[in-house]
Amino acid sequence: MSDADRPSRMTEAFFGRRRGKPVRPQQAAALESGLGKYRLDLVAAAPPDLRVLFEAKVSAVRLEIGFGGGEHLLHRAIEAPATGFIGVEPFVNGMAKMMMAVRAAPLANLRVYDDDATQLLDWLPPASLDGLDLLYPDPWPKKKHWKRRFVSPVNLDRFARVLKPGSKFRFASDIDTYVNWTLLHCRAHGAFAWQAADAADWHRSYEGWPGTRYEAKAIREGRQPAYLTFVRT
Ligand SMILES: C[S@@+](CC[C@H](N)C(=O)[O-])C[C@H]1O[C@@H](n2cnc3c(N)ncnc32)[C@H](O)[C@@H]1O
């Protein structure tokens, strides 16, 4: 799909496709039952302590924005059953894939939201998250589209509001201009300290990193991933 074919702006920060191939009947059934079980209802006020949102007893809550097919989210949620994970993905086919996986193996420490992450961020109480992952956000490589990038002063304000002091914001990308963009915006914002121990640091993947589907494609196409970690000061 070319940029010109993309649907016009539908929400504040979502400019991508909502749907790809038609979902198969089995996926449609998994979507319906999965969203019924895992989807967060933003009409109700958010609880002051997000841990109560989960069926499992959890001690921390993390957010992943734009989880795609959910490969990374699933891996993290299985690896850390005592952490609650909220995943956001407006692309129906990605959400369907994730819901198929949790239909086969349900997770008591998962909740999802299927629309623009800015809506969820504004719903969350202040200082309520123990971590936030933005992994391979839509790159918008053309300069005229840079303003569509999820990292922006207004969204960094949102991150700063919902992250607990000392918690981490992680950003991975294979697009050099987006990596520089994020470093510059975080530095200018003031609430995020970049954690890089040495020059090689930003090419070292995160601990226990399973990779993502988009990352595998980037590597196949010869682009090098960068992994940034910022601490909410
Ligand atoms: C390039 S893909 C990467 C997917 C996945 N993180 C990976 O690495 O395989 C970016 C994803 O972000 C999602 N996305 C774009 N804008 C978003 C928004 N405003 N809120 C939540 N997700 C968004 C897209 O639907 C898409 O699935």
Side-chain angles (χ1 to χ4, degrees):
M1 184 188 237
S2 75
D3 290 337
D5 295 326
R6 285 178 184 271
S8 60
R9 182 181 184 131
M10 287 182 282
T11 58
E12 182 177 334
F14 182 66
F15 303 95
R17 286 186 301 161
R18 291 259 168 198
R19 285 172 189 281
K21 285 187 286 195
V23 293
R24 296 190 305 273
Q26 222 190 354
Q27 289 178 315
L31 250 185
E32 195 184 333
S33 63
L35 289 180
K37 175 172 175 185
Y38 294 103
R39 185 180 193 273
L40 288 170
D41 172 16
L42 306 195
V43 174
D49 183 343
L50 295 180
R51 292 176 300 176
V52 304
L53 292 172
F54 301 89
E55 198 183 316
K57 193 167 159 27
V58 299
S59 55
V61 178
R62 305 178 52 87
L63 171 66
E64 182 173 332
I65 294 177
F67 62 69
E71 297 84 5
H72 175 266
L73 178 61
L74 208 53
H75 177 91
R76 295 297 183 194
I78 292 168
E79 150 189 280
T83 297
F85 289 84
I86 302 176
V88 186
E89 181 49 68
F91 185 52
V92 174
N93 303 65
M95 184 62 86
K97 192 161 183 229
M98 182 70 185
M99 292 299 102
M100 286 287 282
V102 292
R103 187 160 80 157
L107 284 170
N109 60 333
L110 178 78
R111 300 302 302 266
V112 298
Y113 186 63
D114 59 348
D115 208 325
D116 184 348
T118 61
Q119 299 166 358
L120 179 93
L121 288 163
D122 291 345
W123 179 79
L124 293 172
S128 55
L129 291 180
D130 298 277
L132 191 160
D133 287 347
L134 184 62
L135 306 173
Y136 297 97
D138 287 335
W140 300 112
K142 290 184 193 155
K143 199 166 183 177
K144 67 176 179 182
H145 289 142
W146 285 2
K147 56 183 178 300
R148 295 182 173 191
R149 287 176 167 173
F150 199 85
V151 173
S152 65
V154 64
N155 283 341
L156 289 179
D157 280 348
R158 287 182 160 114
F159 292 178
R161 190 186 72 82
V162 297
L163 281 168
K164 293 180 185 171
S167 64
K168 288 175 182 167
F169 158 43
R170 301 195 300 187
F171 170 94
S173 178
D174 57 315
I175 304 295
D176 292 353
T177 60
Y178 203 172
V179 174
N180 290 337
W181 165 281
T182 299
L183 285 169
L184 290 174
H185 277 80
C186 284
R187 193 166 64 190
H189 186 277
F192 299 96
W194 182 30
Q195 299 297 102
D198 55 59
D201 206 53
W202 73 358
H203 291 307
R204 201 173 296 134
S205 57
Y206 305 119
E207 211 188 320
W209 178 243
T212 77
R213 206 172 135 90
Y214 180 93
E215 176 179 83
K217 183 167 176 272
I219 293 172
R220 277 199 307 276
E221 292 172 2
R223 292 187 300 279
Q224 192 180 21
Y227 308 92
L228 308 182
T229 301
F230 301 91
V231 172
R232 168 71 171 103
T233 52

